[in-house]
Amino acid sequence: MVASADSIVQKDPPNSTDTSADSASGSADSADLARFGYQPVLHRKLGRYASFAAGFSFVSILTTIFQFFGLGYSFGGAAFFWTWPIVFAGQFLVALNFAELAARYPLSGCIYQWSRHLAGELVGWFAGWMMIIAQIVTAAAAAIALQVVLPSIWSGFQLVGTDTALTSHDGAVNAVVLGSILLVLTTIINVVGIDWMARINSLGVTIEIVGVLAVIAVFFTHADRGPSVVTQTDQAAPGSYWAAFLVSGLMAAYVMVGFDSAGELSEETRNPRQVAPRTILTALTVSGIGGGLILLGALMAAPSLSDGSLSSGGLAYVIEAKLDSPAGKVVLACVACAITVCTLAIQTAGSRLMFSMARDGRLPFAERLAAVHPRFGTPVLPAVVIGALGIGLLVLNLGNAAIFATLASVCIVTLYLAYLLVTVPLLVRRIKGWPADDATTENGKPLFGLGRFGIPINALAVVWGIAMAVNLAWPRAEVYIPTGGGWWMQWAAPLFVLVTIAAGVLVHRIVTPSRTVPGTEAIIQPA
């Protein structure tokens, strides 16, 4: 059997006040990375909180709940609340598997690297390709969420027209303008260094957590009805309730992704084998609890469940109704901060994935994409490419009132498929006897593992991922062309997946190198 990367050992986490300990830990992390065939070129500066912040800001419950609460409520009524714990449970199954892989493969571009080490170069390449596309689209979708809050804070942020509604022409165009400005700013931050990104992201996450607590407190102290509201279905869309319920789950499915971002930044995290698994699970858990309380509180505090305001205005409508103007604007400012760091985290994760694939020669212009700025310690070109493509995607959708639902569907379907290209090969490898349950650090600390529960948890994660991908890609006219449109818009998600795969086949044929990819000698062979 080929030597396993699982046997690689790691020193204890550094003491933040001990310079020699920091140096020793950094040397151990560098040696760990070298065993996979890579030289340490990124700056390893992230601690536990910064790693948690990367995952939490990607999930960003304030960003996506504010953006899509109205969509969920308009289809499922108050009982759409139950899509939240269901999606959380399913995604937590996936996160458990990812945490186990993060402990064994602490590499940038984790989705690509995990899949490649489990199933070989071809499957790994397509997992990385699908994830890159998903992250570009997700960055664009997150950036346009500024339209949800900025015009409510100050009318001057409505740069185009007067109608601020997400589904209006003016609102859609203004969202593209604001989103493009944000992507320019996050690109600059990503270029100047991981330390600046970490500081801004951690500060933004702290503000977001304070904002989440403030929103929950406001809702629960200004409730107009009890928690039994979550059993009401009378405001659901006409027709079969279960069909409407499945559509309403789009909101929760869009929110609870990206928790793997701690793994994407493994090569910039101190002691990643111990830190990344914990922060992956913590980011999702905190998001799940906080988001569930926000949803429940909003339904309890909404002035009306039947006048249409909750569907059109979402959480902003509830906050403005329950708080006087200054306090409400402060909370909305917290949401704007959350949107900013969410976009920043997505772009950071995407740039590290692009860098990871490029250094293996797996992308066009690989040498340039894999270059790291000697002073900033960042892959500059990947950040610029993701920002530029995100802006281009927004411009292509200029004036499309269904842009929000369309972008959300496209990015999450592609992302769920990328996740499946990790969980399916992992299940196959588990059945063949992977991983070793006794993997430990050199100090005897065990790496995170699922033990005998690995196969059932992994199998459930695969079933969940397939079911969600199908549900999210289903071409529902009421979601993708609510005000009418071409058939191609209704079928946007499955068509986009097919185009992505076709383009991937072409690119893969062009860039497949003849040399051995670093790290393939460490791929674990079945016992």
Side-chain angles (χ1 to χ4, degrees):
M1 187 171 77
V2 178
S4 167
D6 287 359
S7 63
I8 299 173
V9 293
Q10 178 98 5
K11 290 186 180 295
D12 281 332
N15 185 325
S16 60
T17 61
D18 189 340
T19 304
S20 62
D22 283 346
S23 177
S25 179
S27 298
D29 290 336
S30 296
D32 194 4
L33 180 61
R35 289 183 176 94
F36 285 98
Y38 299 115
Q39 293 300 314
V41 293
L42 302 175
H43 293 176
R44 199 177 289 275
K45 295 185 176 182
L46 303 184
R48 191 180 304 276
Y49 185 75
S51 178
F52 159 78
F56 184 82
S57 58
F58 196 126
V59 178
S60 192
I61 50 179
L62 279 186
T63 298
T64 42
I65 292 179
F66 262 76
Q67 190 176 8
F68 287 98
F69 180 93
L71 176 68
Y73 183 81
S74 65
F75 282 98
F80 98 101
F81 166 85
W82 295 106
T83 62
W84 187 266
I86 291 172
V87 172
F88 170 75
Q91 291 299 80
F92 195 76
L93 293 171
V94 177
L96 286 169
N97 288 281
F98 284 4
E100 193 170 39
L101 291 169
R104 287 158 177 78
Y105 303 107
L107 300 168
S108 293
C110 59
I111 297 298
Y112 157 69
Q113 293 285 0
W114 296 342
S115 182
R116 180 171 70 86
H117 280 83
L118 291 168
E121 186 277 331
L122 181 63
V123 176
W125 190 90
F126 272 96
W129 173 257
M130 299 287 280
M131 194 67 182
I132 284 178
I133 300 301
Q135 287 171 331
I136 292 171
V137 181
T138 305
I144 56 179
L146 282 179
Q147 180 64 24
V148 181
V149 292
L150 288 187
S152 297
I153 296 175
W154 177 48
S155 60
F157 286 118
Q158 185 65 30
L159 304 174
V160 179
T162 57
D163 193 341
T164 63
L166 292 173
T167 55
S168 70
H169 179 273
D170 289 352
V173 173
N174 199 67
V176 169
V177 174
L178 295 177
S180 298
I181 294 171
L182 176 57
L183 283 168
V184 170
L185 294 176
T186 56
T187 299
I188 294 172
I189 295 170
N190 261 304
V191 165
V192 298
I194 188 62
D195 46 353
W196 277 102
M197 179 272 169
R199 291 186 191 121
I200 294 172
N201 194 54
S202 296
L203 176 61
V205 165
T206 301
I207 293 173
E208 180 174 3
I209 291 174
V210 171
V212 167
L213 295 175
V215 169
I216 293 171
V218 167
F219 287 168
F220 277 87
T221 56
H222 294 75
D224 290 341
R225 58 192 64 83
S228 62
V229 65
V230 298
T231 63
Q232 296 182 21
T233 61
D234 52 322
Q235 300 303 320
S240 168
Y241 182 73
W242 292 113
F245 186 78
L246 287 175
V247 178
S248 70
L250 176 66
M251 187 216 72
Y254 179 67
V255 176
M256 284 185 273
V257 293
F259 44 83
D260 54 290
S261 291
E264 296 284 6
L265 301 178
S266 287
E267 292 179 32
E268 293 155 282
T269 302
R270 296 187 293 270
N271 192 28
R273 288 181 180 269
Q274 294 291 328
V275 171
R278 297 175 185 175
T279 52
I280 286 172
L281 297 176
T282 303
L284 181 58
T285 300
V286 173
S287 299
I289 295 172
L293 291 174
I294 288 176
L295 292 179
L296 177 60
L299 293 169
M300 292 169 59
S304 173
L305 299 178
S306 59
D307 65 358
S309 297
L310 199 53
S311 295
S312 61
L315 295 189
Y317 154 69
V318 184
I319 289 176
E320 291 171 354
K322 295 299 178 179
L323 289 177
D324 56 26
S325 182
K329 292 185 185 302
V330 169
V331 172
L332 291 176
C334 291
V335 179
C337 288
I339 294 169
T340 300
V341 296
C342 175
T343 307
L344 176 63
I346 295 168
Q347 189 176 12
T348 303
S351 66
R352 297 324 185 255
L353 174 56
M354 191 175 287
F355 158 78
S356 184
M357 295 182 69
R359 69 178 171 184
D360 288 348
R362 292 321 201 212
L363 291 175
F365 311 105
E367 186 175 351
R368 295 181 180 180
L369 289 170
V372 174
H373 194 281
R375 176 185 175 188
F376 300 142
T378 56
V380 173
L381 186 56
V384 173
V385 168
I386 290 175
L389 290 177
I391 293 172
L393 187 61
L394 293 180
V395 172
L396 285 175
N397 285 275
L398 199 65
N400 176 13
I403 180 175
F404 304 97
T406 302
L407 285 180
S409 172
V410 165
C411 69
I412 55 180
V413 171
T414 312
L415 192 147
Y416 270 78
L417 290 176
Y419 283 2
L420 280 169
L421 289 177
V422 174
T423 55
V424 171
L426 178 57
L427 179 59
V428 173
R429 298 301 293 271
R430 288 189 193 279
I431 295 172
K432 294 180 178 180
W434 184 95
D437 292 331
D438 58 352
T440 62
T441 66
E442 68 176 16
N443 292 314
K445 293 184 178 181
L447 297 179
F448 180 88
L450 300 178
R452 67 180 184 274
F453 298 106
I455 290 179
I457 290 175
N458 200 159
L460 289 172
V462 169
V463 172
W464 164 257
I466 294 172
M468 286 303 296
V470 172
N471 182 41
L472 295 166
W474 205 262
R476 301 176 175 96
E478 62 270 28
V479 174
Y480 303 116
I481 49 174
T483 59
W487 64 270
W488 62 271
M489 288 177 59
Q490 182 177 344
W491 289 80
L495 286 174
F496 188 83
V497 170
L498 291 176
V499 170
T500 299
I501 294 173
V505 171
L506 178 61
V507 174
H508 184 264
R509 286 181 178 272
I510 294 173
V511 303
T512 300
S514 58
R515 66 182 179 84
T516 300
V517 176
T520 53
E521 69 280 359
I523 296 177
I524 304 170
Q525 301 299 323

